[in-house]
Amino acid sequence: MEMTILSVAEHIGAAVEGDPSVEITGVASIEEAIPGDLVFAETERLFRAAEESQATAIIAPVGLGVSRKPVLRVHRPRYAFARALELFAPEQSVKVGVHPTAVLGESARLGHSVAIQPYCVIGKNVRIGNRVVIYPFVYIGNDVTIGDDTIIYPNTAIHDRTEIGHRVVINSGCVIGADGFGFLIHEGRHYKIPQIGNVSIGDDVEIGANATIDRARTGTTRIHRGTKIDNLVQIAHNVEIGEDCIIVAQVGISGSVEVGDRVILAGQAGIKDNIAIGSDSMVGAQAGVIGDVPPNSVVSGYPARPHKDQMRVHASLHRLPEIVKTFPEIAVAIQRLTERIEELEQRLDGSGQ
Amino acid sequence: MEMTILSVAEHIGAAVEGDPSVEITGVASIEEAIPGDLVFAETERLFRAAEESQATAIIAPVGLGVSRKPVLRVHRPRYAFARALELFAPEQSVKVGVHPTAVLGESARLGHSVAIQPYCVIGKNVRIGNRVVIYPFVYIGNDVTIGDDTIIYPNTAIHDRTEIGHRVVINSGCVIGADGFGFLIHEGRHYKIPQIGNVSIGDDVEIGANATIDRARTGTTRIHRGTKIDNLVQIAHNVEIGEDCIIVAQVGISGSVEVGDRVILAGQAGIKDNIAIGSDSMVGAQAGVIGDVPPNSVVSGYPARPHKDQMRVHASLHRLPEIVKTFPEIAVAIQRLTERIEELEQRLDGSGQ
Amino acid sequence: MEMTILSVAEHIGAAVEGDPSVEITGVASIEEAIPGDLVFAETERLFRAAEESQATAIIAPVGLGVSRKPVLRVHRPRYAFARALELFAPEQSVKVGVHPTAVLGESARLGHSVAIQPYCVIGKNVRIGNRVVIYPFVYIGNDVTIGDDTIIYPNTAIHDRTEIGHRVVINSGCVIGADGFGFLIHEGRHYKIPQIGNVSIGDDVEIGANATIDRARTGTTRIHRGTKIDNLVQIAHNVEIGEDCIIVAQVGISGSVEVGDRVILAGQAGIKDNIAIGSDSMVGAQAGVIGDVPPNSVVSGYPARPHKDQMRVHASLHRLPEIVKTFPEIAVAIQRLTERIEELEQRLDGSGQ
């Protein structure tokens, strides 16, 4: 793919400094750039690195640096770079139509321009929106609905009654709507509590590879609009996650947790069941949340507490061994001082003062 | 689905208070109940909430609350609720028979009423019990045996020589019997130790979505009867897990660990290799177990220690920064006191007392 | 399978003590050995256990123990045992050829003796080396290259433009080359940053079941030669992992992390984005690495610090509650001593001394 700097600039809304007719053939990081590449520099340091790199042109914020290379000046450089990446993204050639090997259940209703690739199995009474793409080895149970422009990558299983919105991306290997993990002790053994609810995924949600989202016991496990979920995340039954959250890889969210809007859960964090995490909060990597988190909080550690307190604790921890070692000496010192004072007191008493 | 309260009561073993002819159309949580729903209230507070909800009837323990709604009185309310959920669970329509697209190896022996759905691949010399259900895209290797009434959900791989009991549930995306992670250093590189053992799964075991259970190096990785394993759990080679354990999501169990009976491993806990965890023990969420755990223990934290001690440590941790800050002042204070005492001693000595 | 001790000894490079014509029928751990089995004893204690076991013969280092059973003497017993396991590993019968149900895209180039099993879907312009084995339900995208003797187990998805070396083993359920998790805030919502890079997997790499390795934003996510990755590991976009590393189960590596050669990341460890971990370092289980780790380091805990310091901290932690409890008493004691000294000083001052 080849485009002039002028065409790229028009697409990303940039002003061009330098020759607008120069050809761009790719987008790269500064370290890996080869001639023809467009790179992105947000700071003085990166701008200088870009200038010295083999890159042909630079996207940079207005007012940053001067270059002999053509510069595409923008106000929101990260967004502009994302838009440039879109231009040079390898084409996804998806063949519209239902592959003859796909097995469709009764009463399936498909929108137009749907692509159902080889070896998909789709249950009864499934509704699939327009321009949906379903990759090979996707299993879709009965009574599932899928909105327009949604993409489901290979080897994913969507169980009965799941509701999926528009423009959802479900990466490979996900399991959506498996039974929640619910048992009770009956006659000394674990008795399965039927999980008769479902899962609902809002518009513009993205779900990472091999993530699992369990159906509700009764009612619905809900992921609201715009939330992005990374790989290998576990979301248990009856969880409700608000809008525009970021759930990083390997996070585990236990049953009936409520997460507000715009919450960030960093990697490998774990949330105890029946906890509420307020909107605009952030939970640190590997944190273990065992109590409610108010809105606008930043918590970390196990058990999770305000991040500032936690950082103070971590900063003091390496002093602990010394304190533990010295601590008994203090008791001894105080004891020794007490004895010397008693002696002094006795001497003074003895002297009649 | 519609049932009278009387029919529900007969199924779950309840005594009816109020009109037994009222129709029930579903089961729900108190918050989500709509007219027609049966709900479950175990405490005074929940009973009042149920009374005020839109629910049509309430399952409650004998002696708890009075309602204008029909109440189904039971002795074990959680069990009764699970039984009610069974009644209203959406029907799983499974078509008995082997789908023509399934690929079966030589010498496969199938029980009666088996359902093998589209696009399953089953190896040589496999024995499958009665009423087994195998969903699409399940791979079963050679010499595998599967007991009666077992269900294997889509996209699961069961590798060679795995033994699976009766009434086992294996959720979607599991990998059972892949090679254990065993290497040795040979001529400066990692040399693979062949993993020639297998996996054995006892009766009534349930395995969560995308969980992995590795085959043994030699011998067998064993999960005993009645143990329930949640999503994304990792069980390494040569692990042995006892009966009726609960292994919560994202737990990792390293090689050759022995877990007793009725052990609970909470979410994201990790167990070091070659550890023994005694029966009836509980390991807290995110705990890191690096030494044997005696029976009937409750441990948590990293490294895992008795939970009570750990809680005391956690409770004191937020005081640590203050102690670290004040600690040097104590040394100074003691030094100052010592000097004043020395001065007093000298004055007294000087005075001849 | 049956072999004489002599044949086994020749294969593994051992000297035989005792009758070389005895038949061996399997390899086992000492605890599980039955007559006919060969076992492995590396220490005095294990040698005695082997001697008392039902095993027929023992692999042992030169100079360790005396037995009435035949002993195969070797210099590197673990390696010899691995070689013996190879002899007795159940045969993997793989049928060479492309199964008629496999769907191959245009311009696929296959080496000789390739086995493509039922229900594989392979994209356009894919190059597959000699003797490659691809199990059922493997999805391979466009423009993928796969080296000689590589094995891809069932239900794995390899996305577009992935490069895979020779003798690579990819276990079941892996997802290689899915989009990295990259978003920016645009007009108050998460805007997807296109992930146009790819993944490259070096020779002799092994990847555990249900592991996920994301493609780079631009450029390449790289796993170098000989690195072994366990189950359920997450490797984010633009990560680079050196040669001969060991990445244990459920580790999570964030975006743009650089890992050197021969690094060991123990189970459930997490690495923050943009961190560098030097060669020959070791990161403890469940550690949370939030800063660069120099070569040859051993770190653990959260935040990860030198393991020795961390162990000292852990050893002192259980003393903390006592210190927190006693700490205020020290202030009181010092205050009390101060008052007594003041009194003494006044008495002495009053006495004119």
Side-chain angles (χ1 to χ4, degrees):
Chain A
M1 166 131 193
E2 231 179 71
M3 289 182 81
T4 63
I5 281 184
L6 185 62
S7 317
V8 176
E10 279 166 0
H11 181 79
I12 72 174
V16 180
E17 279 174 22
D19 181 356
S21 68
V22 171
E23 298 277 358
I24 296 297
T25 53
V27 183
S29 68
I30 293 168
E31 303 82 51
E32 298 185 293
I34 56 170
D37 278 346
L38 177 63
V39 297
F40 160 68
E42 217 181 1
T43 64
E44 281 285 354
R45 191 179 61 77
L46 290 172
F47 194 93
R48 280 193 301 274
E51 174 66 12
E52 283 158 30
S53 76
Q54 297 195 49
T56 288
I58 308 171
I59 294 177
V62 171
L64 182 80
V66 177
S67 176
R68 287 155 307 167
K69 300 179 178 181
V71 179
L72 290 88
R73 292 292 176 187
V74 294
H75 288 282
R76 293 163 303 178
R78 284 175 176 267
Y79 176 64
F81 189 63
R83 300 278 291 164
L85 285 167
E86 286 164 12
L87 279 178
F88 290 91
E91 220 181 320
Q92 296 272 16
S93 59
V94 168
K95 206 170 148 189
V96 163
V98 177
H99 193 274
T101 60
V103 175
L104 268 75
E106 303 155 22
S107 320
R109 277 184 287 166
L110 308 191
H112 63 75
S113 308
V114 161
I116 299 186
Q117 300 195 8
Y119 304 125
C120 290
V121 173
I122 296 178
K124 287 188 280 191
N125 195 31
V126 169
R127 275 168 37 200
I128 294 178
N130 301 321
R131 295 170 306 276
V132 164
V133 180
I134 301 181
Y135 278 82
F137 318 123
V138 167
Y139 169 83
I140 296 178
N142 300 324
D143 304 301
V144 170
T145 64
I146 299 176
D148 297 339
D149 300 295
T150 283
I151 302 173
I152 304 178
Y153 284 102
N155 301 104
T156 278
I158 314 276
H159 290 275
D160 293 0
R161 288 167 286 115
T162 299
E163 297 160 7
I164 298 175
H166 303 304
R167 297 172 305 278
V168 171
V169 176
I170 301 181
N171 282 285
S172 299
C174 289
V175 181
I176 315 287
D179 272 2
F181 193 66
F183 302 91
L184 55 87
I185 298 287
H186 179 65
E187 295 177 352
R189 297 202 171 170
H190 298 296
Y191 189 90
K192 184 177 178 75
I193 303 171
Q195 307 284 312
I196 72 172
N198 74 338
V199 174
S200 164
I201 312 266
D203 296 342
D204 300 302
V205 167
E206 181 154 346
I207 301 174
N210 283 351
T212 56
I213 304 178
D214 283 351
R215 71 158 58 110
R217 191 168 68 170
T218 63
T220 300
T221 303
R222 284 182 199 283
I223 316 293
H224 289 279
R225 188 200 52 72
T227 282
K228 310 298 184 184
I229 297 170
D230 201 353
N231 297 346
L232 292 167
V233 164
Q234 148 72 356
I235 297 177
H237 60 94
N238 291 87
V239 167
E240 178 154 10
I241 299 183
E243 299 190 345
D244 297 314
C245 294
I246 292 281
I247 318 281
V248 182
Q250 294 176 321
V251 160
I253 305 182
S254 307
S256 303
V257 165
E258 278 182 56
V259 176
D261 299 329
R262 295 170 304 280
V263 169
I264 297 172
L265 306 181
Q268 296 183 331
I271 320 289
K272 193 177 165 289
D273 58 289
N274 289 287
I275 293 293
I277 298 189
S279 291
D280 301 293
S281 285
M282 205 194 129
V283 174
Q286 296 188 327
V289 181
I290 64 170
D292 288 354
V293 173
N296 295 297
S297 309
V298 180
V299 301
S300 69
Y302 180 88
R305 274 201 298 245
H307 184 59
K308 277 185 186 174
D309 298 356
Q310 209 69 263
M311 282 299 97
R312 264 202 301 267
V313 168
H314 283 307
S316 7
L317 263 176
H318 72 285
R319 299 287 308 280
L320 184 59
E322 180 203 330
I323 291 177
V324 163
K325 203 182 144 210
T326 324
F327 202 71
E329 297 171 14
I330 288 173
V332 170
I334 287 175
Q335 180 55 30
R336 186 69 200 95
L337 292 180
T338 308
E339 286 162 11
R340 286 168 75 179
I341 289 172
E342 272 165 16
E343 206 192 304
L344 285 169
E345 286 167 344
Q346 284 165 12
R347 284 169 70 181
L348 271 175
D349 290 347
S351 75
Q353 280 161 333
Chain B
M1 166 131 192
E2 231 179 72
M3 289 183 81
T4 64
I5 281 182
L6 186 61
S7 318
V8 176
E10 279 167 359
H11 181 79
I12 71 174
V16 179
E17 278 174 23
D19 181 355
S21 69
V22 170
E23 298 278 0
I24 296 297
T25 52
V27 183
S29 69
I30 293 168
E31 304 82 49
E32 298 185 292
I34 56 170
D37 277 347
L38 176 64
V39 297
F40 159 68
E42 216 181 1
T43 65
E44 282 283 354
R45 191 179 61 76
L46 290 173
F47 194 93
R48 281 194 301 273
E51 174 67 12
E52 283 158 29
S53 76
Q54 296 195 50
T56 289
I58 308 171
I59 296 177
V62 171
L64 181 81
V66 178
S67 175
R68 286 154 308 167
K69 301 178 177 180
V71 179
L72 289 88
R73 293 291 176 187
V74 294
H75 288 281
R76 293 163 303 178
R78 282 172 178 269
Y79 175 64
F81 188 63
R83 300 278 292 162
L85 285 168
E86 286 164 13
L87 280 178
F88 289 92
E91 219 181 319
Q92 297 272 17
S93 60
V94 168
K95 206 169 148 189
V96 163
V98 178
H99 194 274
T101 59
V103 175
L104 268 76
E106 302 155 21
S107 321
R109 278 183 285 165
L110 308 190
H112 63 75
S113 309
V114 162
I116 299 185
Q117 299 195 8
Y119 304 126
C120 291
V121 173
I122 296 177
K124 286 187 279 190
N125 196 30
V126 168
R127 276 167 37 199
I128 295 179
N130 302 321
R131 296 171 304 278
V132 165
V133 180
I134 300 180
Y135 279 82
F137 318 124
V138 167
Y139 169 83
I140 296 178
N142 300 323
D143 304 301
V144 170
T145 64
I146 300 176
D148 297 340
D149 300 295
T150 284
I151 302 173
I152 304 178
Y153 284 102
N155 301 103
T156 278
I158 313 277
H159 289 275
D160 293 0
R161 286 166 288 115
T162 299
E163 297 161 6
I164 299 175
H166 303 306
R167 299 172 303 281
V168 171
V169 176
I170 301 181
N171 281 286
S172 300
C174 289
V175 181
I176 315 288
D179 272 2
F181 193 65
F183 302 91
L184 55 85
I185 299 286
H186 179 64
E187 295 178 351
R189 298 203 170 167
H190 299 296
Y191 190 90
K192 185 176 177 77
I193 303 170
Q195 306 285 312
I196 73 172
N198 73 338
V199 174
S200 164
I201 312 267
D203 296 343
D204 301 301
V205 167
E206 181 155 345
I207 301 174
N210 283 352
T212 56
I213 303 178
D214 283 350
R215 71 158 59 110
R217 190 169 67 170
T218 63
T220 300
T221 303
R222 284 182 197 283
I223 317 293
H224 288 279
R225 187 200 54 70
T227 282
K228 311 297 184 184
I229 296 170
D230 202 352
N231 298 346
L232 291 166
V233 165
Q234 148 72 353
I235 297 177
H237 59 94
N238 291 88
V239 167
E240 177 154 11
I241 298 183
E243 298 190 344
D244 298 314
C245 293
I246 292 281
I247 318 280
V248 182
Q250 294 175 321
V251 160
I253 304 181
S254 307
S256 303
V257 165
E258 278 184 56
V259 177
D261 298 330
R262 297 170 302 282
V263 169
I264 298 172
L265 305 181
Q268 297 183 331
I271 319 291
K272 194 178 165 289
D273 58 289
N274 289 287
I275 294 292
I277 298 189
S279 291
D280 302 293
S281 285
M282 202 193 133
V283 174
Q286 297 188 325
V289 181
I290 63 172
D292 286 356
V293 173
N296 297 298
S297 308
V298 180
V299 301
S300 68
Y302 179 87
R305 274 201 297 246
H307 184 59
K308 277 185 186 172
D309 298 355
Q310 209 69 262
M311 282 297 96
R312 264 202 301 267
V313 168
H314 283 306
S316 5
L317 263 177
H318 72 284
R319 299 287 309 280
L320 183 60
E322 180 204 329
I323 292 176
V324 164
K325 203 182 144 209
T326 323
F327 203 70
E329 298 170 15
I330 288 173
V332 170
I334 287 175
Q335 181 54 30
R336 185 71 200 93
L337 292 180
T338 309
E339 286 161 10
R340 287 167 76 178
I341 290 172
E342 272 165 16
E343 205 191 306
L344 286 169
E345 286 167 344
Q346 282 166 12
R347 285 169 70 181
L348 273 174
D349 288 350
S351 75
Q353 282 161 337
Chain C
M1 166 131 195
E2 233 178 71
M3 289 183 81
T4 63
I5 280 182
L6 186 61
S7 318
V8 176
E10 279 167 359
H11 181 80
I12 71 174
V16 179
E17 280 176 23
D19 181 353
S21 69
V22 171
E23 298 278 359
I24 296 298
T25 53
V27 184
S29 68
I30 293 168
E31 303 84 48
E32 299 185 292
I34 56 171
D37 278 346
L38 177 63
V39 297
F40 160 68
E42 216 180 2
T43 65
E44 282 283 354
R45 191 178 61 78
L46 290 173
F47 194 94
R48 281 194 301 273
E51 174 66 14
E52 283 158 29
S53 76
Q54 298 194 50
T56 289
I58 308 172
I59 295 176
V62 171
L64 180 81
V66 178
S67 176
R68 290 154 304 167
K69 302 179 177 180
V71 179
L72 290 88
R73 293 291 177 189
V74 294
H75 288 281
R76 293 163 301 177
R78 285 175 177 265
Y79 176 63
F81 189 63
R83 301 278 292 162
L85 284 168
E86 285 163 14
L87 279 177
F88 290 91
E91 218 180 323
Q92 297 272 16
S93 60
V94 168
K95 207 170 149 190
V96 163
V98 178
H99 194 275
T101 60
V103 174
L104 268 76
E106 301 154 22
S107 321
R109 278 182 286 166
L110 308 190
H112 63 75
S113 309
V114 161
I116 299 185
Q117 299 194 8
Y119 304 126
C120 291
V121 173
I122 295 177
K124 287 186 280 189
N125 195 29
V126 168
R127 275 166 38 198
I128 295 179
N130 302 321
R131 295 170 306 277
V132 165
V133 180
I134 301 181
Y135 278 82
F137 318 124
V138 168
Y139 169 83
I140 295 178
N142 301 324
D143 304 301
V144 170
T145 65
I146 300 176
D148 296 341
D149 300 295
T150 284
I151 303 173
I152 304 178
Y153 284 101
N155 301 104
T156 278
I158 314 276
H159 290 276
D160 293 359
R161 287 167 287 116
T162 299
E163 297 161 7
I164 299 176
H166 303 305
R167 297 171 305 279
V168 170
V169 176
I170 301 181
N171 282 285
S172 299
C174 289
V175 181
I176 314 288
D179 271 1
F181 193 65
F183 301 91
L184 56 85
I185 298 287
H186 179 66
E187 296 178 350
R189 298 201 170 168
H190 298 296
Y191 190 90
K192 186 177 177 76
I193 303 171
Q195 306 285 312
I196 72 173
N198 73 338
V199 174
S200 164
I201 312 265
D203 296 344
D204 300 301
V205 167
E206 181 155 346
I207 301 175
N210 283 351
T212 56
I213 304 178
D214 283 350
R215 72 158 59 110
R217 190 170 66 170
T218 61
T220 300
T221 303
R222 285 183 198 283
I223 316 294
H224 288 278
R225 189 200 50 72
T227 282
K228 311 297 184 183
I229 297 171
D230 200 353
N231 297 347
L232 292 166
V233 165
Q234 149 72 354
I235 296 177
H237 59 95
N238 290 88
V239 166
E240 177 153 11
I241 299 183
E243 298 190 345
D244 298 314
C245 293
I246 292 281
I247 318 279
V248 182
Q250 295 175 321
V251 160
I253 305 181
S254 307
S256 302
V257 165
E258 279 182 56
V259 176
D261 298 329
R262 296 169 304 280
V263 169
I264 298 173
L265 305 181
Q268 297 183 332
I271 319 291
K272 193 176 167 290
D273 56 290
N274 288 288
I275 294 293
I277 299 189
S279 290
D280 301 293
S281 286
M282 203 194 132
V283 174
Q286 298 187 326
V289 181
I290 63 170
D292 286 355
V293 173
N296 296 297
S297 309
V298 180
V299 301
S300 69
Y302 180 88
R305 274 201 297 246
H307 183 60
K308 277 185 187 172
D309 298 355
Q310 208 71 262
M311 282 298 96
R312 263 202 303 266
V313 168
H314 282 307
S316 7
L317 263 177
H318 73 284
R319 299 285 310 280
L320 184 59
E322 180 204 330
I323 290 176
V324 164
K325 201 180 147 213
T326 324
F327 203 71
E329 298 170 14
I330 287 174
V332 170
I334 287 176
Q335 181 53 31
R336 185 72 200 93
L337 292 180
T338 309
E339 286 162 10
R340 286 167 76 179
I341 289 172
E342 273 166 14
E343 206 191 305
L344 286 169
E345 285 168 344
Q346 283 164 13
R347 285 169 70 181
L348 273 174
D349 287 348
S351 74
Q353 282 161 333

